[in-house]
Amino acid sequence: MSYFDAASSAPLHPVARQALLASLDEGWADPARLYREGRRARMLLDAAREAAAEAIGCRPDELAFTPSGTRALHMGAAGALAGRRRVGRHLIVSSVEHSAVLHSAETHEREGGTVTHVGVGRSGRVTPSAYAAALREDTALACLQSANHEVGTVQPVAEVAEVCRAAGVPLLVDAAQSLGWGPVEGDWSLLAGSAHKWGGPSGVGLLVVRKGVRFAPQGPVDERESGRSAGFENIPAIVAAVASLRAVRAEAAQEAVRLRELTDRIRARVPRLVPDVEVVGDPAGRLPGIVTFSCLYVDGEALLHELDRAGFSVSSGSSCTSSTLTPSHVLKAMGVLTEGNVRVSLPMGAVSEDVEGFLDVLPEAVAAVREKLGAQTPVAVLREDELVVDALGKRCPIPVIELAKVIGDVPVGGRVRVLSDDAAARLDIPAWCEMREQEYLGEEPADGGTAYLVRRLS
């Protein structure tokens, strides 16, 4: 079985396992106590904090360990917004942030704050000028990920941090995906990370709050972690998390070159092996191990099951998963194809043979899913100069499959009107038109759903 979902959670690094087992015998006591066992635990905790701070590029007293990366983001956003409440209640986030940040933004809005979502281009990257335009006198906080979790695109954190710093606004960086590859550059104010993303144990996150940043921890607090993260520290897990961070950093430069070659191979060969595929994300400015592509006429969940049966563990941001039936917010914001989405995120140590094996089975897997999902003869009616396809009640990718089947039935210059009540059609039909070099004319209200208009160009 080849595990290709390291962006969700990386396998436990051997160094983390060793450190965890070793520290179980020394780090079990309360580090706040003055007796011998407590002093041993405190020494382990302090040493881990110093090592983590060195790797991140901050002071040890600026770093607090948290129960998870998600919790670190929630605490960081809430504390910074509360600390700067006198300035205002305006929050800026990018439209491709991790759900942990977007959930914090939703909570902020429910409590009376305002939120600006900064858009991205088709590569998934924001522009510093867009953040500059979003800044207001009442802006309390801006948030930006260091790299995207779904498509791997690296964000211009240093440039955005400079813009925010000039306006006196702190920038919170979600560095979960990138910390294993190196420190985050720029004059950021707050930073969050998650150990299981770089090969540490789950249940350990970290939050950095720079000196001088107004910060008011929310909820009940205690004396632990400078009052920023209540509860007894899991010292063995923290020691293992920091040990793995140091270990992967030592390997990062060499692994980055190797994994980038493997993902470049996937990016180049998938469109040649599988018809009607769109590779998404920035081709160059991205993390080394992530490559994402979307397949027309494919249900993403069905494709993941097919690949799992073939021995490959990958993930999807597809709009077509039965659990949500909603498009990936990242792919939606990028304006790219959402159906049949596959994210391959290689762990450190992934080998060329496994990548070749994946490329060998992918075409057959996609073909099998397309055959299973082949739509029945579409219900199409010719009205005046356009063909009307009734796809109401049919989930993606069926509306796009039916559009593809009938586009050749209208003359060049003729139109197809696709009726659909699936939200994914609003994203996937325009993306299909761009991939197939047809003209998307827009949408109109229709009984029971929406009419999407397409003109045949070729």
Side-chain angles (χ1 to χ4, degrees), residues 262-304:
L262 294 177
T263 52
D264 284 345
R265 190 185 309 177
I266 297 173
R267 289 182 66 91
R269 288 177 55 187
V270 165
R272 298 200 300 264
L273 294 169
V274 181
D276 299 315
V277 166
E278 180 180 18
V279 181
V280 300
D282 194 285
R286 57 184 172 85
L287 294 177
I290 297 179
V291 57
T292 305
F293 55 89
S294 300
C295 306
L296 276 172
Y297 324 129
V298 168
D299 180 298
E301 188 176 66
L303 180 55
L304 262 59

Side-chain angles (χ1 to χ4, degrees), residues 22 35 70 116 138 140 160 174 198 206 279 338 350 363 388 395 406 446:
Y35 43 69
T70 293
T116 295
D138 64 337
V160 171
D174 172 11
W198 65 67
L206 55 85
V279 181
T338 65
V388 180
R395 294 295 152 196
V406 303

Side-chain angles (χ1 to χ4, degrees), residues 58-84:
C58 67
R59 292 170 38 157
D61 59 352
E62 295 174 330
L63 188 151
F65 292 108
T66 67
S68 68
T70 293
R71 187 76 182 117
L73 287 168
H74 291 171
M75 294 164 55
L81 287 167
R84 287 174 49 81

Side-chain angles (χ1 to χ4, degrees), residues 34-58:
L34 299 179
Y35 43 69
R36 179 171 50 191
E37 294 85 356
R39 293 197 304 272
R40 288 176 181 169
R42 170 57 62 181
M43 289 176 60
L44 287 174
L45 182 60
D46 288 347
R49 195 184 316 276
E50 290 177 5
E54 180 182 5
I56 292 167
C58 67

